[in-house]
Amino acid sequence: MKYFKAFIVCIALLGWFSNVASAARIEISAPGEKTIPLAITRLLPMPGTTVSSAVAVEFQQVLLSDLELSGLFDMVDSAAFLSDANKLGLRSNEIDFYQWRLLATDALIKGGYKIDSGRLTVELRLFDVVTRRLLSGRRYVGKLTDVRKIAHKFADQIMLSLTGEKGPFATKIAYISKRTGRKELNLMDVDGHNSVRLTAHKTIVLNPDFSPTRKELIFTSYRNGNPDLFRKEIYTGRESRLSLKQGLNIGGRYSPDGREVALTLSKDKNSELYLIGTDGTIHQRLTNHWGIDVDPSWNPEGDKIAFVSDRRGNPHIFIVDVHSLEVTRLTHAGKYNATPAWSPKGDKIVYARLDKGVFNLFTIRPDGSEDRQITFGAGNKEHPRWSPDGRFLVYSNDLNKDKSIWIMRADGTGGRRISAATARDSHPAWSGRW
Amino acid sequence: MQKLTITGLALLFALSLLVSGCAKTPAQEDPMPEEKTIIEEVKQQEPTVVIDQAITEEEAAAQALAAEKAAANGLVRIQFDFDQYVLTDSAKGILVSNAALLTAAPAVQVLIEGHCDERGSDEYNLALGEKRALATKSYLVSLGVAADRMSVISYGEEMPIDAASNEAAWSLNRRANFKVKR
Amino acid sequence: MESSRKQRWQQLISMIEPGFKRMLVISVALHLLVPILYYTPLFPQAKIDKPPVYRVNLVNKIVENPQAGRPEAVVVKKKPKVKPKPKVKPKVKVKPKPKLKPKVKPKVKPKPVPVKAKPVVSQVQKNKQLSTIEKMKAKLEREAAAEAQKQKIEALKAALAADSKIDSPVKDAPVGMLDGTGDEAGISAIAAVREFIQQQWSFSEYQAFGSPEAEVKLVYNQVGTMLHYTFVTKSGNDQFDKSLIRAIVKSKQLPQDLPRAMDFEIIFNLKDMLDQ
């Protein structure tokens, strides 16, 4: 009888509730526009400056290129800009937002520059046109030659305020270039500008990697007749040999905490993965198999390493647990998979697969699921490496035989060449945030 | 609700099938390490003609020098198949004559360089090149050349003979060469 | 006979378990209880609102006059309006929509008659070919005639439908709305609002982290002006929530009146963007 009562009450309650809902419920499961309309106005001279349109033009180019790569925006054509674009007003109450709404833009960048006795000051603002609010305001002070750097920094800032995470545009890319006829280590901006050569070994320099904690690179060089692992401080130029075991000392990769380096040594007549300390002493042997084991890449937690091995016949990607030394196979498809790079977000591993004579890039989850191709067509795409925020990839591409460094979004879209087409550039590595 | 559960169960079932399917993907068998057929050269007995000659030290030195020169110029490089470091029969034949040159010039130190063609990943090719050099060295050791006279280095795909991208260039580049150092 | 029947009955009864009768009575009573309860005030007769059916065009955006240029549409327009609605308020500024996509006209594409270029070998074959071509032509003509007939019927039907006073919830829905009083069928008010707000919402997949979801309540009056909005739940993703605020501010004024003052509870998420 008790249950019966409860049953009646339940039924009554149900009936009551079904009467209440009156508002129409709608689910919108995707935005109508998948880009943010953005208007970038030109930098305007601020009071008390020497006028230099070159500064404004260069700034605009750099910022536009960075923001286009981000894939976030749909740029409003500057030809349609109305009178407010030519007013310096940098405060939200000085801006005629109505004009910008007419152009159907959601976001607006305004800025001014001041050149005063060789010093450059740039004031920048990012506004939300719809809610008429300031999203980000920055002032940058530097030398006249710092225009590009300032533009990259502001692009990072825009990414921060619109995605919650800073962009990687103010970072550096190290790469191997044959510009001098020999493979040497080089360094450049993310857009390919300001490239400088760091080594003059005049032999073969290979496969650099940035220290996550110091402004320092490791790479392999044949300078002393054997492929040894070198370490180089970028600004002092100081250089030393970190690992000089008989045989290969290649593919060095700093652990995420910067305290160890994973690399391939062949001191025992077979290539195996080892962990060495930053003083060069061997801490641990990671693999033990007669096959070839190369190309280590750490996961962001620093407890697993993806690598290439031919222990099952063809080169495939495997993962070794640094603590238990347990090896699991990651890729099964394809006949030749190489150069894995683990995303700093941890969710994906990018690698190159040789198929029908061409290398293309693929991504796969660390559990082996979602193995998908992200680049297509002609040109060998190799040596993929992640940006520090995991949003972009840098890689080498020999499309039209012009082996050079390319950059694209992590989903494979927006690919563009950033280094000169003639220098046979390869092996890029992306720095952390400096 | 029930429908949902049923679909859920069905999904779970399908998923478990998938997972077990994955696990059972036939792993490729390890290739058997290829047995090396060692060619035994049966040297024919020749009548030993004893020639008695007076030798000066200069002459001996000159002879040694000649042998070294012969070794330096006569060591022939060997070729490999794609993604292989197993010696081919023709490579073994070349190595036999190379070994003879090396035994004739015992003072000569030799550096064996392993090379690959441009296809494949650079790191992998460095390791492969080393395997080629090591395979070459161990075969020469088996032919009686002292191991401490030979050192190996791998250049991977970094030093091609022919930089072109065609089968002829590739097969030329997949090699082990010999450099004599004194 | 009589006694034997009784006997048999007794026998039957004795076979039944002792509690059976009581159970039977209770069972019948309980069954009866359900309909009785159903018709008492104890059990309020909840009108089960049919879930709204959204007919959303997945290919084309809503357009103002999708059938412009169709012969029957012109005919319909000539008809006197049944309910000329006095304009209550001046039209709020409407941005000219650049995307006027006329619906694809139904056309009869005559199939190209396959003509064989082969040199004819014999007269018999030629005759045969000619006759097949004739047959094909006849078939095509028949098909065309049937199609024309169909079109005429359709046009008449459309005219009839326009005449028969559809009581639309959207009084001056632009032409092209399923339940508009306009020339043709259109989509429902809720779907139109959904589509409008969705178009105002811009968010990039490169901004997305995880699977954010937020629920917003929007209150509109009858002329389509937003009175106020509240976040029922926020997503916790600042950029996502800000993009929603932008969309809401842009949706302050709907491009058309609503059938009545309406509340919308809108759930925003990225299910359809991230799943691809």
Side-chain angles (χ1 to χ4, degrees), chain A residues 300-337:
Chain A
E301 290 77 31
D303 57 359
K304 289 195 171 73
I305 291 175
F307 66 101
V308 175
S309 177
D310 71 342
R311 54 185 66 198
R312 294 302 183 89
N314 296 320
H316 270 288
I317 315 289
F318 290 76
I319 292 174
V320 61
D321 186 301
V322 174
H323 304 301
S324 69
L325 301 188
E326 192 190 339
V327 174
T328 50
R329 182 171 174 173
L330 180 66
T331 60
H332 291 271
K335 288 204 172 77
Y336 198 119
N337 298 327

Coordinates of all heavy atoms in Angstrom, one line a residue, chain A residues 300-337:
Chain A
P300 N 54.5 15.2 -23.1 CA 54.7 16.4 -22.2 C 54.9 16.0 -20.7 O 55.5 16.8 -20.0 CB 53.5 17.2 -22.4 CG 52.5 16.3 -23.1 CD 53.3 15.3 -23.9
E301 N 54.4 14.9 -20.3 CA 54.6 14.5 -18.9 C 56.0 14.0 -18.7 O 56.5 13.9 -17.5 CB 53.6 13.3 -18.5 CG 52.2 13.8 -18.4 CD 51.5 13.9 -19.8 OE1 51.9 13.2 -20.8 OE2 50.7 14.8 -20.0
G302 N 56.7 13.6 -19.7 CA 58.1 13.2 -19.6 C 58.2 11.7 -19.1 O 59.3 11.4 -18.5
D303 N 57.2 10.9 -19.2 CA 57.3 9.5 -18.8 C 57.2 8.5 -19.9 O 57.4 7.3 -19.7 CB 56.3 9.2 -17.7 CG 54.9 9.4 -18.2 OD1 54.7 9.9 -19.3 OD2 53.9 9.2 -17.4
K304 N 57.0 9.0 -21.1 CA 56.9 8.1 -22.3 C 57.7 8.7 -23.5 O 57.8 9.9 -23.6 CB 55.5 7.8 -22.7 CG 54.7 7.0 -21.7 CD 53.4 6.4 -22.4 CE 52.7 5.4 -21.5 NZ 52.1 6.0 -20.4
I305 N 58.2 7.9 -24.3 CA 58.9 8.3 -25.5 C 58.5 7.6 -26.7 O 58.5 6.3 -26.7 CB 60.5 8.2 -25.3 CG1 60.9 9.1 -24.2 CG2 61.2 8.4 -26.6 CD1 62.4 9.0 -23.8
A306 N 58.0 8.3 -27.7 CA 57.7 7.7 -29.0 C 59.0 7.6 -29.8 O 59.9 8.5 -29.7 CB 56.7 8.5 -29.8
F307 N 59.2 6.5 -30.5 CA 60.4 6.4 -31.4 C 60.1 5.5 -32.6 O 59.1 4.9 -32.7 CB 61.6 5.8 -30.5 CG 61.3 4.4 -30.0 CD1 62.0 3.3 -30.7 CD2 60.5 4.1 -28.9 CE1 61.8 2.0 -30.2 CE2 60.3 2.8 -28.5 CZ 61.0 1.8 -29.1
V308 N 61.1 5.4 -33.4 CA 61.0 4.6 -34.7 C 61.8 3.3 -34.5 O 63.0 3.4 -34.0 CB 61.5 5.4 -35.9 CG1 61.5 4.5 -37.1 CG2 60.7 6.6 -36.1
S309 N 61.2 2.2 -34.9 CA 62.0 1.0 -34.8 C 61.6 0.1 -35.9 O 60.4 0.1 -36.4 CB 61.7 0.3 -33.5 OG 62.4 -1.0 -33.4
D310 N 62.5 -0.7 -36.4 CA 62.2 -1.7 -37.5 C 62.2 -3.1 -36.9 O 62.3 -4.1 -37.6 CB 63.2 -1.6 -38.6 CG 64.6 -2.1 -38.2 OD1 64.9 -2.3 -37.0 OD2 65.4 -2.4 -39.2
R311 N 61.9 -3.2 -35.6 CA 61.9 -4.5 -34.9 C 60.9 -5.4 -35.4 O 61.0 -6.6 -35.2 CB 61.8 -4.3 -33.4 CG 60.6 -3.5 -33.0 CD 60.6 -3.3 -31.4 NE 61.7 -2.5 -31.0 CZ 62.2 -2.4 -29.8 NH1 61.6 -3.1 -28.8 NH2 63.1 -1.6 -29.5
R312 N 59.8 -4.9 -36.1 CA 58.8 -5.8 -36.6 C 58.9 -5.8 -38.2 O 57.9 -6.1 -38.8 CB 57.4 -5.3 -36.2 CG 57.1 -5.4 -34.8 CD 57.3 -6.9 -34.3 NE 56.9 -7.0 -32.9 CZ 55.7 -7.3 -32.5 NH1 54.7 -7.4 -33.3 NH2 55.5 -7.4 -31.2
G313 N 60.1 -5.5 -38.7 CA 60.3 -5.6 -40.1 C 60.4 -4.2 -40.7 O 61.6 -3.8 -41.0
N314 N 59.3 -3.5 -40.9 CA 59.4 -2.2 -41.5 C 59.5 -1.1 -40.3 O 59.1 -1.4 -39.2 CB 58.2 -1.9 -42.3 CG 58.1 -2.8 -43.5 OD1 59.1 -3.1 -44.1 ND2 56.9 -3.3 -43.8
P315 N 60.0 0.1 -40.7 CA 60.1 1.1 -39.6 C 58.7 1.5 -39.2 O 57.8 1.9 -40.1 CB 60.8 2.3 -40.4 CG 61.4 1.7 -41.6 CD 60.6 0.5 -41.9
H316 N 58.4 1.5 -37.9 CA 57.1 1.9 -37.4 C 57.3 2.7 -36.1 O 58.4 2.6 -35.6 CB 56.2 0.6 -37.1 CG 55.4 0.2 -38.2 ND1 54.3 0.9 -38.6 CD2 55.4 -0.9 -39.0 CE1 53.7 0.3 -39.6 NE2 54.4 -0.8 -39.9
I317 N 56.2 3.3 -35.6 CA 56.4 4.1 -34.4 C 56.0 3.2 -33.2 O 55.0 2.5 -33.2 CB 55.4 5.3 -34.4 CG1 55.5 6.1 -35.8 CG2 55.7 6.3 -33.3 CD1 56.7 6.8 -36.1
F318 N 56.9 3.3 -32.2 CA 56.6 2.5 -31.0 C 56.7 3.5 -29.8 O 57.2 4.7 -30.0 CB 57.7 1.5 -30.8 CG 57.6 0.3 -31.7 CD1 58.0 0.5 -33.0 CD2 57.1 -0.9 -31.3 CE1 57.9 -0.6 -33.9 CE2 57.0 -2.0 -32.2 CZ 57.4 -1.8 -33.5
I319 N 56.2 3.1 -28.7 CA 56.3 4.0 -27.5 C 56.9 3.2 -26.4 O 56.5 2.0 -26.1 CB 54.9 4.5 -27.0 CG1 54.3 5.4 -28.1 CG2 54.9 5.1 -25.7 CD1 52.9 5.8 -27.8
V320 N 57.9 3.8 -25.7 CA 58.5 3.1 -24.6 C 58.3 3.9 -23.3 O 58.3 5.1 -23.3 CB 60.1 2.9 -24.8 CG1 60.8 4.3 -25.0 CG2 60.7 2.2 -23.6
D321 N 57.9 3.2 -22.3 CA 57.7 3.8 -21.0 C 59.0 4.0 -20.3 O 59.8 3.0 -20.1 CB 56.7 2.9 -20.1 CG 56.3 3.5 -18.8 OD1 57.2 3.9 -18.0 OD2 55.1 3.7 -18.6
V322 N 59.3 5.2 -19.9 CA 60.7 5.5 -19.4 C 60.9 4.7 -18.0 O 62.1 4.4 -17.7 CB 60.8 7.0 -19.2 CG1 62.1 7.4 -18.5 CG2 60.7 7.7 -20.5
H323 N 59.9 4.5 -17.3 CA 60.1 3.8 -16.0 C 60.1 2.3 -16.1 O 61.0 1.6 -15.6 CB 59.0 4.3 -15.0 CG 59.0 5.8 -14.8 ND1 60.1 6.5 -14.4 CD2 58.1 6.7 -15.1 CE1 59.8 7.8 -14.4 NE2 58.6 8.0 -14.8
S324 N 59.0 1.8 -16.8 CA 59.0 0.3 -16.9 C 59.7 -0.3 -18.1 O 59.9 -1.5 -18.1 CB 57.5 -0.1 -16.9 OG 57.0 0.3 -18.2
L325 N 60.1 0.6 -19.0 CA 60.8 0.2 -20.2 C 60.0 -0.7 -21.1 O 60.4 -1.4 -22.0 CB 62.2 -0.5 -19.9 CG 63.2 0.4 -19.2 CD1 64.5 -0.3 -19.1 CD2 63.3 1.7 -19.8
E326 N 58.7 -0.7 -20.8 CA 57.7 -1.5 -21.6 C 57.5 -0.8 -23.0 O 57.3 0.4 -23.1 CB 56.4 -1.6 -20.9 CG 55.5 -2.7 -21.5 CD 54.1 -2.5 -20.9 OE1 54.0 -1.9 -19.8 OE2 53.1 -3.0 -21.5
V327 N 57.7 -1.6 -24.1 CA 57.5 -1.1 -25.4 C 56.2 -1.5 -26.0 O 55.9 -2.7 -26.0 CB 58.7 -1.5 -26.3 CG1 58.5 -1.1 -27.7 CG2 60.0 -1.0 -25.8
T328 N 55.4 -0.5 -26.5 CA 54.2 -0.9 -27.2 C 54.2 -0.3 -28.6 O 54.8 0.8 -28.9 CB 53.0 -0.3 -26.5 OG1 53.2 1.1 -26.2 CG2 52.7 -1.0 -25.2
R329 N 53.6 -1.0 -29.5 CA 53.6 -0.5 -30.9 C 52.4 0.5 -31.1 O 51.3 0.3 -30.7 CB 53.4 -1.7 -31.8 CG 53.4 -1.4 -33.3 CD 53.4 -2.6 -34.1 NE 53.3 -2.2 -35.5 CZ 53.4 -3.1 -36.5 NH1 53.7 -4.3 -36.3 NH2 53.3 -2.7 -37.8
L330 N 52.7 1.6 -31.8 CA 51.7 2.6 -32.0 C 51.1 2.6 -33.4 O 49.8 2.5 -33.5 CB 52.3 4.0 -31.8 CG 51.4 5.2 -31.9 CD1 50.3 5.2 -30.9 CD2 52.1 6.5 -31.9
T331 N 51.9 2.5 -34.4 CA 51.3 2.5 -35.8 C 51.3 1.1 -36.3 O 52.2 0.3 -36.1 CB 52.1 3.4 -36.7 OG1 53.4 2.9 -36.8 CG2 52.1 4.9 -36.2
H332 N 50.2 0.8 -37.1 CA 50.1 -0.5 -37.7 C 50.0 -0.3 -39.2 O 50.4 -1.2 -40.0 CB 48.9 -1.2 -37.2 CG 49.1 -1.7 -35.7 ND1 49.7 -2.9 -35.4 CD2 48.9 -1.1 -34.6 CE1 49.8 -3.0 -34.1 NE2 49.3 -1.9 -33.6
A333 N 49.4 0.8 -39.6 CA 49.1 1.1 -41.1 C 50.4 1.6 -41.7 O 51.3 2.1 -41.0 CB 48.0 2.1 -41.2
G334 N 50.5 1.4 -43.0 CA 51.7 2.0 -43.7 C 52.9 1.0 -43.6 O 52.9 0.1 -42.9
K335 N 53.9 1.3 -44.5 CA 55.0 0.4 -44.5 C 56.3 1.1 -44.0 O 57.3 0.5 -43.8 CB 55.3 -0.1 -45.9 CG 54.2 -1.1 -46.4 CD 54.8 -1.9 -47.5 CE 53.9 -3.1 -47.9 NZ 52.8 -2.6 -48.7
Y336 N 56.2 2.5 -43.9 CA 57.5 3.2 -43.5 C 57.0 4.4 -42.7 O 56.7 5.5 -43.3 CB 58.2 3.6 -44.8 CG 59.7 3.9 -44.5 CD1 60.7 3.2 -45.1 CD2 60.0 5.0 -43.7 CE1 62.1 3.5 -44.8 CE2 61.4 5.3 -43.4 CZ 62.4 4.6 -44.0 OH 63.7 4.9 -43.8
N337 N 57.0 4.4 -41.4 CA 56.6 5.5 -40.6 C 57.8 6.0 -39.8 O 58.5 5.2 -39.2 CB 55.5 5.1 -39.6 CG 54.2 4.6 -40.4 OD1 53.9 5.2 -41.4 ND2 53.5 3.7 -39.8

